[in-house]
């Protein structure tokens, strides 16, 4: 799950799922009235079934799909010590059939009806969730409920799903952030189950057990019977169906889940971490320089109404002028730093400080920690904590009343997990609840941030001779060394004293909106309009107040033809973009806290993108700050240090790309091959190694010598607002030039009648295959045929190659549509060799094609689902509208009525039409096919394959590229 956060990349995905929970009563005699915003038109009902299953129903007339999540109060720390990974294994097994439905019934049904399903296991929770079209809710709930009421846990699938669990672990074990997380677990209190191996594999679940498969099945059934009680479950459903209908569905289907006494946890009252703080040094796989400071604290679940920990994280984690992050970055010691709360486990949680070090910073870890404590000391004495608390309260209330409402499965998951601890009446508003400020409790949190309570985890490359004294984790094979943590702050040092004096408390947030209001009359322009501007740029605008929020989305594309023509120019542009982003770090925390988000990104063959979203009122101020950073960095005055930071971080990224999972690497290899202006990491790293600051300074005039603007604004704002932003852009960066040919990417024209093979050597222990079939310049009928076939075979492909054949954890079918071609791709990551994987894909497709005429039922359901998606407005949010509109604009095809046209072609579509399109695409004579083989570390590649393999240099020489298309612009609208 992802959010708009600023923390160290990857690290907090694993360590920082913020919990604001409190215990709730077991039952409620009276009807519960759930508090919510006055602008919230949804209807809510909380109920407890006769088997004690807690249920929250949300009826939302704007919901386009139904979202369902069921949370079970069990997870990794409930694993038996002799069955590590059992909770995760049960999560997998529950999907493989129940008393009334087959092993593929739920996922196939949901897939056919325009939805998706998945699950995850955490320390104390296991969560199952899905989305589906509204008219298929009853069938989906029947299958979903039955997997908890009467799962098969069949011995037939025991061995197969063991392989899936092991494959998932193998994928995780090659990722440095997962390895860091494992070391934190391994070095925890040995008397607490938190320190055990969470994911599990064949060794912990099978080989170490005397009676093997039979005993594992017994253990699985016993674990299910002990932990999967109705009273240990919470169900959340968000749907457009009326509450009465939802309640009837739930009562008829979920009361079959058995209830009973839930076993008392053996870890209650035991600390997660050891009593003596430690310093742990970890050897990574890739080029990492990560420092994590961890401060254990008592669980704050019962204090979900006060958010004191959030305020502490905001103040200590600010990047404003005079902050510790600002100072450390100015010294060139860090590139990123963030504070958050670690997932609560039992009675304990932790404040975490994650730091990405530079090479220079690696030599100054002692000083970095000292300066962090100096800043904490300054804030303890001088920060007006009560004022910051009230500021955060205002921001939270703004978001509750005026922000875009949470939707979809992510919100259903949040609700079901919160139901375990939050009082029912607070479930909707608890994320924004701020109780009366309590200074004593806040100071108690600050007292935990001391050297005596600090656990240090330092991850960076070690010398081979030093590794002799390191331990090796049994499961992740990560090498680490544990020492006693004896950090003493050098309070008498000149650095400490001068820094302490220079630190400043955060200033008032300039991005806090002051005039937020909601227009209760929803209105939506039929389509985006091109507004007239004095220059040759494009300004697109669409009024969209459908969701009645004072928000807008803005996208700016600055086309820069000189940004991608060579590897050197590409990397110079990349460095410039990175320097701009780093120079804006001071503004990021304040903007995001105020409900404003921005991003600056780079597309190798189009230029630079600027994205804005959130409350519209202060977007012009934020945009002005962004453009000012563009100008400041462009002038290259006093930018030497920022350049060095950006160059070092970029080189680290390119090196670590070689350690990405195999499936990600074959995807990148594919993009690099088929896109004309995409360069390999090796090419970029080589170019980067030769670049000096003077080169970037000299390149700046060239970069901006040719530019073209495309700006799109959508939301509850007037055309004058869009014109204001466009004026800001041209005032700061100069007028737009004429359109160039960068309307679509230049793509490889895959040769017809043969398979084009490419090879990717990885440093992963896994192999991978990405096999793609193309149709060049497709008709609408061909587009629909491929889309229908993709939806028909996605789940059968997964079921056959992943569930039955157990080729690997990553098994996917993907379909992508572009203006000048479409593709159907088959992706697998496995221990098996790429050639074998290709044979299995070929065999699957042969059998599937042979039986295609018999798949009338699947075709009928998939066609109905797709037709519904094309004819109904399924947009869940303003962002959804904006994304679809922007795609039409950036592709420069301006077909804002494309859905209606596709629906007209789809209505008479038959199964024979699908067969015709697919047969031609897959036939040996007509096929255009690309197969990218990803080989594991140490693999020997056959000479015959190497002879066939293409390289980018050859493709460029052959000039086999479909060049961009330039579409005619519609007539511009004049706005006063």
């Amino acid at each position: 799950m992802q959010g708009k956060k600023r923390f160290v990349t990857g690290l907090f995905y694993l360590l920082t799922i913020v919990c604001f929970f409190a215990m709730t009563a077991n039952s409620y005699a009276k009807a519960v009235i759930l508090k919510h915003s006055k602008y919230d038109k949804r209807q809510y009902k909380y109920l407890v079934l006769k088997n004690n299953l807690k249920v929250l129903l949300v009826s939302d007339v704007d919901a386009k799909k139904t979202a369902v999540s069921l949370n079970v109060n069990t997870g990794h720390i409930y694993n038996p010590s002799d069955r590590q990974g059992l909770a995760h294994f049960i999560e997998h097994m529950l999907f493989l059939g129940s008393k009334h439905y087959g092993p593929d019934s739920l996922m196939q049904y949901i897939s056919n009806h325009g939805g998706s399903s998945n699950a995850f296991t955490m320390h104390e929770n296991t969560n199952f969730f899905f989305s589906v079209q509204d008219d298929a809710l009853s069938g989906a709930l029947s299958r979903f409920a039955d997997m908890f009421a009467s799962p098969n846990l069949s011995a037939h699938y025991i061995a197969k799903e063991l392989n899936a669990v092991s494959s998932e672990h193998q994928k995780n074990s090659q990722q440095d952030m997962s390895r860091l997380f494992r070391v934190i677990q391994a070095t925890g209190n040995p008397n607490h189950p938190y320190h055990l191996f969470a994911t599990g594999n064949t060794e912990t679940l099978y080989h170490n057990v005397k009676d093997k498969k039979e005993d594992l099945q017994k253990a699985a059934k016993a674990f299910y019977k002990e932990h999967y009680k109705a009273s240990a479950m919470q169900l959340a459903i968000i749907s457009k169906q009326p509450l009465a209908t939802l309640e009837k569905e739930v009562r008829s289907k979920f009361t079959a889940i058995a209830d009973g006494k839930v076993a008392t946890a053996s870890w209650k009252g035991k600390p997660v971490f050891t009593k003596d703080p430690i310093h742990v040094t970890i050897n990574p796989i890739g080029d990492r320089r990560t420092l994590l400071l961890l401060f254990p604290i008592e669980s704050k679940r019962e204090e979900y109404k006060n958010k004191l920990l959030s305020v502490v994280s905001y103040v200590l984690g600010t990047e404003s002028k005079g902050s510790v992050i600002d100072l450390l970055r100015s010294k060139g010691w860090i590139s990123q730093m963030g504070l958050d709360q670690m997932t609560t486990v039992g009675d304990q949680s932790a404040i975490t400080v994650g730091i990405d070090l530079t090479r220079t910073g690696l030599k100054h870890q002692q000083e970095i920690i000292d300066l962090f404590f100096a800043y904490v000391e300054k804030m303890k004495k001088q920060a007006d904590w009560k004022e910051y608390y009230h500021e955060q309260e205002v921001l939270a209330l703004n978001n509750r009343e005026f922000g875009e409402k949470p939707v979809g499965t992510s919100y259903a998951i949040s609700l079901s997990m919160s139901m375990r601890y939050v009082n029912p009446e607070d479930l909707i508003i608890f994320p924004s609840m701020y109780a009366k400020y309590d200074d004593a409790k806040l100071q108690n949190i600050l007292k935990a941030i001391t050297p005596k309570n600090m656990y240090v985890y330092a991850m960076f490359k070690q010398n081979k001779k030093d590794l002799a004294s390191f331990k090796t984790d049994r499961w992740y094979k990560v090498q680490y060394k544990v020492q006693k943590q004896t950090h003493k702050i050098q309070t008498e040092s000149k650095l400490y004293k001068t820094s302490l004096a220079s630190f400043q408390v955060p200033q008032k947030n300039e991005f806090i909106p002051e005039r937020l209001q909601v227009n209760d009359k929803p209105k939506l322009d039929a389509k985006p309009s091109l507004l007239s501007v004095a220059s040759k740029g494009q300004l697109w605008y669409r009024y969209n107040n459908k969701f009645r929020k004072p928000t807008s989305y803005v996208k700016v594309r600055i086309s820069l033809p000189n940004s991608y023509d060579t590897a050197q120019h590409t990397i110079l542009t990349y460095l410039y973009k990175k320097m701009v982003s780093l120079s804006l770090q001071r503004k990021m925390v304040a903007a995001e806290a105020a409900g404003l988000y921005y991003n600056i990104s780079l597309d190798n063959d189009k230029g630079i993108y600027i994205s804005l979203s959130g409350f519209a009122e202060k977007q012009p101020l934020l945009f002005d700050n962004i453009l000012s950073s563009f100008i400041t960095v462009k002038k290259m005055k006093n930018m030497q240090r920022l350049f060095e930071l950006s160059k070092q971080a970029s080189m680290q990224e390119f090196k670590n790309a070689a350690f990405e999972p195999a499936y990600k690497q074959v995807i990148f290899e594919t993009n690099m091959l088929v896109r004309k202006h995409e360069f390999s990491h090796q090419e970029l790293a080589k170019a980067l190694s030769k670049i000096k600051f003077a080169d970037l300074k000299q390149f700046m005039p060239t970069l901006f010598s040719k530019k073209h603007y495309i700006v799109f604004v959508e939301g509850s704002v007037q055309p004058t607002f869009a014109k204001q932003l466009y004026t800001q852009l041209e005032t700061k960066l100069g007028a737009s030039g004429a359109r160039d040919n960068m309307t679509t990417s230049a793509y490889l024209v895959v040769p017809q009648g043969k398979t084009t093979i490419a090879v990717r050597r990885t440093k992963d222990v896994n192999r991978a295959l990405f096999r793609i079939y193309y149709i060049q310049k497709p008709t609408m009928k061909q587009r629909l045929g491929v889309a229908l076939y993709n939806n028909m075979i996605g789940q059968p492909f997964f079921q056959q190659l992943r569930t039955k054949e157990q080729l690997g954890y990553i098994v996917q079918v993907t379909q992508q549509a572009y203006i000048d071609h479409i593709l159907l791709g088959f992706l697998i990551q496995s221990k098996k060799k790429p050639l074998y994987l290709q044979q299995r894909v070929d065999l699957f497709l042969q059998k599937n094609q042979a039986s295609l005429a018999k798949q009338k039922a699947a075709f009928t359901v998939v066609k109905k689902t797709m037709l519904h998606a094309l004819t109904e407005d399924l947009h869940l949010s303003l962002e959804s509208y904006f994304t679809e509109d922007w795609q039409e604009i950036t592709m420069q095809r301006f077909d804002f009525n494309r859905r209606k046209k596709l629906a007209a072609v789809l209505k008479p579509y038959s199964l024979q039409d699908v067969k015709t399109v697919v047969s031609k695409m897959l036939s040996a004579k007509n096929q255009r096919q690309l197969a990218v083989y990803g080989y594991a570390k140490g693999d020997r590649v056959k000479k015959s394959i190497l002879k066939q393999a293409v390289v980018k240099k050859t493709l460029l020489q052959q000039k086999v590229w479909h060049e961009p298309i330039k579409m005619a612009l519609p007539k511009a609208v004049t706005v006063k």
Side-chain angles (χ1 to χ4, degrees):
M1 299 181 69
Q2 302 178 15
K4 294 174 179 174
K5 291 194 174 184
R6 61 187 179 84
F7 302 115
V8 182
T9 304
L11 175 60
F12 289 92
Y13 177 78
L14 294 165
L15 298 179
T16 60
I17 301 174
V18 183
C19 302
F20 301 119
F21 294 147
M23 295 302 294
T24 182
N26 289 328
S27 61
Y28 283 74
K30 297 181 179 180
V32 176
I33 305 300
L34 282 82
K35 305 169 190 173
H36 57 84
S37 163
K38 64 180 179 180
Y39 297 111
D40 187 353
K41 305 302 181 184
R42 291 175 291 196
Q43 294 182 308
Y44 302 94
K45 186 166 187 178
Y46 176 86
L47 55 117
V48 180
L49 303 185
K50 63 182 181 181
N51 59 355
N52 289 312
L53 174 70
K54 300 179 182 67
V55 181
L56 177 61
L57 306 175
V58 183
S59 179
D60 183 357
V61 294
D62 294 326
K64 308 306 178 184
K65 288 185 181 180
T66 292
V68 178
S69 172
L70 187 140
N71 191 70
V72 186
N73 303 346
T74 189
H76 301 316
I77 58 177
Y78 292 85
N79 285 329
S81 59
D82 62 343
R83 290 280 190 184
Q84 297 178 55
L86 186 58
H88 180 219
F89 181 71
I90 294 293
E91 173 216 311
H92 280 242
M93 288 295 295
L94 285 182
F95 282 98
L96 299 177
S98 58
K99 181 178 180 180
H100 301 100
Y101 298 98
D104 193 37
S105 181
L106 174 67
M107 290 189 288
Q108 183 67 64
Y109 183 88
I110 289 173
S111 177
N112 286 347
H113 290 86
S116 60
S117 61
N118 213 329
F120 59 85
T121 305
M122 297 175 63
H123 303 303
E124 296 181 277
N125 299 280
T126 302
N127 200 282
F128 302 80
F129 56 94
F130 70 86
S131 67
V132 73
Q133 281 192 343
D134 194 63
D135 59 357
L137 174 60
S138 184
L141 285 180
S142 293
R143 291 162 173 79
F144 190 63
D146 204 50
M147 67 188 262
F148 300 104
S150 53
N152 282 339
L153 299 177
S154 170
H156 176 71
Y157 286 106
I158 289 289
K160 292 181 181 297
E161 218 49 38
L162 268 174
N163 289 331
V165 169
S166 287
S167 180
E168 183 177 352
H169 162 61
Q170 196 169 56
K171 173 180 71 71
N172 296 337
S173 68
Q174 299 303 301
Q175 300 173 24
D176 277 327
M177 293 304 107
S178 297
R179 292 160 69 86
L180 170 59
F181 182 52
R182 171 58 201 151
V183 171
I184 293 173
Q185 288 182 297
T187 54
N189 180 3
N191 296 316
H192 194 290
Y194 174 78
H195 89 284
L196 298 174
F197 176 31
T199 310
N201 61 9
T202 52
E203 184 177 348
T204 63
L205 291 166
Y206 189 69
H207 293 309
N208 288 348
V209 182
K210 293 180 180 179
D211 296 327
K212 302 295 188 290
K213 181 163 59 177
E214 294 77 12
D215 194 52
L216 176 55
Q217 186 187 27
K218 290 178 183 177
K221 288 185 174 181
F223 188 93
Y224 161 79
K225 187 175 181 179
E226 181 178 5
H227 296 284
Y228 278 69
K229 309 287 189 183
S231 56
M233 296 178 181
Q234 303 86 37
L235 174 69
I237 301 178
I238 306 170
S239 175
K240 72 189 310 177
Q241 299 276 11
L243 289 176
T245 302
L246 295 176
E247 181 175 352
K248 183 179 178 181
E249 288 284 349
V250 167
R251 289 191 183 279
S252 66
K253 293 177 170 64
F254 287 87
T255 51
I257 300 175
D259 193 23
K261 186 177 180 181
V262 179
T264 304
S266 61
W267 41 263
K268 282 288 186 181
K270 296 179 182 178
V272 175
F273 300 98
T274 57
K275 293 183 178 179
D276 298 320
I278 53 178
H279 185 290
V280 184
T281 307
I282 306 163
N283 188 45
I285 293 177
D287 182 18
R288 308 282 180 187
R289 295 181 295 276
T290 298
L291 184 64
L292 176 70
L293 313 180
L294 189 151
F295 303 92
I297 56 172
E298 292 181 354
S299 167
K300 300 300 176 184
R301 284 173 171 164
E302 296 182 2
E303 299 177 15
Y304 71 86
K305 296 181 181 181
N306 66 29
K307 307 297 186 299
L308 292 171
L309 196 54
S310 296
V311 176
V312 170
S313 295
Y314 172 73
V315 173
L316 297 185
T318 184
E319 300 187 23
S320 60
K321 185 177 181 180
S323 68
V324 64
I325 300 176
D326 186 46
L327 173 64
L328 294 173
R329 190 177 283 119
S330 69
K331 288 183 174 295
W333 291 356
I334 72 168
S335 56
Q336 296 283 350
M337 179 173 172
L339 276 78
D340 212 325
Q341 180 190 2
M342 186 175 168
T343 306
T344 299
V345 180
D347 304 319
Q348 200 169 39
S349 183
I351 298 170
T352 56
V353 182
I355 307 168
D356 278 350
L357 303 170
T358 63
R359 287 194 185 89
T360 304
L362 200 58
K363 304 172 185 176
H364 296 278
Q365 295 179 60
Q366 168 78 39
E367 293 98 316
I368 289 170
I369 295 174
D370 281 354
L371 293 181
F372 170 72
F373 282 121
Y375 186 68
V376 173
E377 189 63 27
K378 184 75 170 261
M379 293 304 103
K380 282 181 181 179
K381 295 178 179 178
Q382 294 191 10
D384 188 341
W385 290 98
K386 187 175 183 180
E387 183 64 28
Y388 290 125
Y389 185 86
H390 290 317
E391 181 181 289
Q392 295 299 298
E393 181 181 17
V394 169
L395 295 173
L397 288 174
N398 281 345
N399 189 60
R400 181 205 299 180
E401 298 297 317
F402 304 105
E404 292 194 58
K405 64 182 180 184
V407 294
T409 52
S410 59
Y411 187 44
I413 291 168
S414 173
L415 290 173
S416 69
M417 294 183 70
S418 303
M419 289 168 68
R420 181 175 181 179
Y421 300 108
V422 177
N423 293 328
E425 61 268 20
D426 297 332
L427 279 168
I428 307 305
I429 67 166
F430 87 92
S432 58
M433 293 180 74
Y434 277 71
K436 185 178 180 181
Y437 175 72
D438 190 324
D439 190 67
K441 288 184 177 180
L442 186 136
Q443 294 300 325
N444 192 45
I445 292 174
L446 292 173
K447 287 177 183 177
I449 307 176
T450 65
K452 292 183 179 180
N453 190 43
M454 177 175 64
Y455 296 70
V456 180
Y457 298 88
M459 176 185 279
F460 55 92
K461 277 291 184 182
Q462 305 295 310
N463 295 323
K464 286 187 178 181
K465 63 178 182 179
D466 295 331
L467 290 174
S469 60
F470 279 49
K471 295 181 179 180
T472 300
D473 178 68
R474 182 177 178 181
W475 311 118
Y476 279 69
K477 308 305 179 187
V478 55
Q479 297 166 297
Y480 66 97
K481 183 177 183 179
V482 182
Q483 297 171 293
K484 187 175 181 181
Q485 197 279 105
T486 57
H487 186 93
K488 292 183 180 179
I489 305 174
Q490 306 299 314
T491 56
E492 298 303 315
S493 70
K494 182 180 178 181
L495 176 63
Y496 184 92
K497 290 181 177 180
T498 55
S499 300
L500 185 63
S502 68
F503 286 141
Q504 302 174 29
V505 296
Q507 299 300 306
K508 182 179 179 180
N509 192 334
E510 63 181 326
F511 298 109
I512 297 177
E514 301 167 357
R515 300 182 299 276
L516 290 178
Q517 58 183 3
V518 170
N519 183 349
D520 279 330
K521 295 181 180 179
K523 180 184 174 184
L524 174 66
D525 286 350
K527 62 180 181 179
S529 300
L530 179 64
L531 304 184
S532 61
V533 293
S535 70
K536 297 177 181 179
Q538 299 174 44
L539 172 59
W540 293 85
Y541 162 80
R542 188 183 192 184
Y543 185 80
N544 188 340
N545 188 42
K546 183 173 181 180
F547 301 98
R548 301 181 294 279
K549 299 295 180 183
T551 55
S552 68
Y553 278 78
V554 179
K555 195 88 167 186
V556 178
R557 190 178 93 183
I558 307 174
S559 297
L560 300 166
N562 294 323
S563 67
Y564 64 81
D565 50 351
T566 66
Q568 184 189 40
H569 283 182
T570 298
I571 199 61
L572 284 168
T573 308
Y574 187 78
L575 286 171
Y576 169 71
K577 187 273 297 185
K578 202 166 193 68
M579 290 170 68
V580 171
S581 297
L582 284 174
S583 70
L584 284 164
Q585 292 290 338
R586 287 180 178 177
K587 302 292 182 180
M588 183 182 292
V589 179
E592 291 190 0
L596 272 176
Y597 305 94
Y598 72 90
N599 184 50
I600 301 170
S601 58
L602 181 69
D603 190 323
N604 283 4
D605 61 359
K606 292 187 177 69
I608 296 177
Y609 291 83
I610 303 171
S611 303
L612 301 175
S613 62
F615 296 128
E617 183 184 328
K618 293 296 179 77
Q619 281 183 354
L621 175 61
L622 178 59
F623 193 44
D624 186 73
N625 277 274
I626 293 171
L627 295 176
S628 294
S629 290
F630 268 73
I631 295 170
T632 302
V633 176
K634 182 181 172 184
K635 291 178 179 177
M636 288 291 151
K637 291 182 179 179
N638 303 317
M639 288 288 156
Q640 181 80 44
R641 178 164 287 175
L642 204 58
F643 168 79
E644 295 298 339
L645 277 174
S646 300
K647 181 177 179 179
Q648 190 178 134
S650 300
M651 187 61 78
Q652 189 176 5
E653 288 175 26
F654 297 144
K655 285 184 178 179
N656 287 330
F659 299 97
E660 287 287 328
Y663 78 96
K664 289 186 178 181
Q665 294 205 45
V666 293
I667 292 174
F668 178 83
E669 186 73 17
T670 304
N671 290 332
M672 191 271 296
L673 283 170
V674 302
R675 293 179 62 175
K676 188 174 183 179
H677 301 295
E678 193 85 41
F679 300 94
S680 70
H681 290 125
Q682 293 88 343
E683 289 174 303
L684 294 175
K686 184 178 179 181
L688 179 61
S689 65
K690 298 177 182 179
I691 287 173
K692 296 181 174 57
F693 180 65
D695 298 322
L696 184 58
K697 191 173 183 180
Q698 185 178 359
F699 177 63
M700 281 297 98
T702 303
L703 177 63
F704 284 92
S705 61
K706 296 179 181 178
K707 56 184 178 292
H708 177 72
Y709 304 139
I710 300 178
V711 180
F712 178 42
V713 181
E714 181 166 0
S716 55
V717 293
Q718 298 302 316
T720 50
F721 179 89
K723 296 274 283 187
Q724 177 187 353
L725 294 179
Y726 190 86
T727 301
Q728 285 179 258
L729 177 64
E730 292 209 324
T731 300
K732 293 280 188 178
L733 300 184
S736 173
R739 288 171 72 196
D740 52 36
N741 230 24
M742 296 199 311
T743 50
T744 61
S745 300
Y747 277 89
L748 171 70
V749 178
V750 182
Q752 190 171 5
K754 70 171 186 176
T755 300
T756 301
I757 295 174
V759 169
R760 176 82 172 193
R761 299 178 187 272
T762 79
K763 295 185 179 180
D764 195 357
V765 297
N766 298 294
R767 290 111 181 176
L769 168 74
F770 194 24
R771 195 166 194 194
I772 308 168
Y773 293 88
Y774 289 83
I775 296 181
Q776 303 286 160
K777 298 182 180 180
T779 63
M780 277 194 173
K781 195 163 188 176
Q782 287 174 320
R783 289 180 183 276
L784 289 168
V786 174
L788 286 163
Y789 187 63
N790 171 64
N791 290 336
M792 290 173 65
I793 67 168
Q795 194 56 43
F797 182 75
F798 179 90
Q799 177 73 4
Q800 177 62 38
L801 301 186
R802 200 268 205 189
T803 305
K804 293 182 179 179
E805 297 187 28
Q806 285 295 307
L807 292 184
Y809 182 70
I810 305 294
V811 178
Q812 299 173 0
V813 182
T814 179
Q815 179 249 330
Q816 296 177 36
Y818 301 92
I819 191 170
D820 46 17
H821 68 281
I822 53 175
L823 63 84
L824 186 68
F826 300 86
L827 178 67
I828 305 175
Q829 178 173 286
S830 175
K831 292 297 290 181
K832 303 290 186 181
K833 295 288 183 68
L835 274 177
Y836 178 79
L837 299 177
Q838 179 168 299
Q839 291 168 5
R840 303 314 300 166
V841 172
D842 288 345
L843 183 60
F844 170 83
L845 289 174
Q846 289 170 14
K847 290 183 176 180
N848 188 269
Q849 276 190 275
S851 65
L852 195 56
K854 300 177 182 179
Q855 299 178 35
K856 292 182 179 179
F859 167 76
T860 301
V861 174
V862 167
K863 178 184 172 181
K864 180 184 176 183
T865 300
M866 188 180 295
L867 196 59
H868 177 74
L870 290 172
T871 55
E872 298 295 323
D873 182 358
L874 299 182
H875 294 293
L876 296 170
S877 62
L878 174 61
E879 181 180 13
S880 177
Y881 273 106
F882 177 81
T883 301
E884 184 176 294
D885 290 338
W886 174 250
Q887 184 179 24
E888 293 296 309
I889 292 169
T890 192
M891 297 296 285
Q892 297 283 276
R893 57 189 174 194
F894 319 121
D895 188 6
F896 301 107
N897 201 28
R898 191 163 52 92
R899 280 172 170 238
K900 189 175 181 179
K901 292 177 181 178
L902 286 169
V905 178
L906 179 59
K907 284 181 181 179
Y909 222 95
S910 66
L911 182 58
Q912 181 58 44
D913 292 328
V914 175
K915 188 174 182 180
T916 300
V917 171
V918 172
S919 297
K920 186 175 180 180
M921 181 175 64
L922 301 182
S923 69
K925 180 181 178 181
N926 296 300
Q927 70 181 12
R928 297 180 184 271
Q929 185 185 157
L930 173 65
V932 181
Y933 299 160
Y935 287 92
K937 183 179 181 181
D939 277 352
R940 294 183 64 183
V941 185
K942 292 181 179 179
K943 291 182 179 180
S944 58
I945 293 176
L946 291 175
K947 285 182 179 180
Q948 297 178 65
V950 298
V951 294
K952 185 66 172 282
K953 184 177 180 180
T954 303
L955 294 174
L956 288 169
Q957 290 171 345
Q958 293 174 352
K959 298 180 180 179
V960 286
W961 303 96
H962 181 66
E963 294 295 338
I965 300 170
K966 198 168 186 177
M967 308 292 285
L969 283 171
K971 186 177 179 180
V973 178
T974 301
V975 178
K976 295 182 179 179

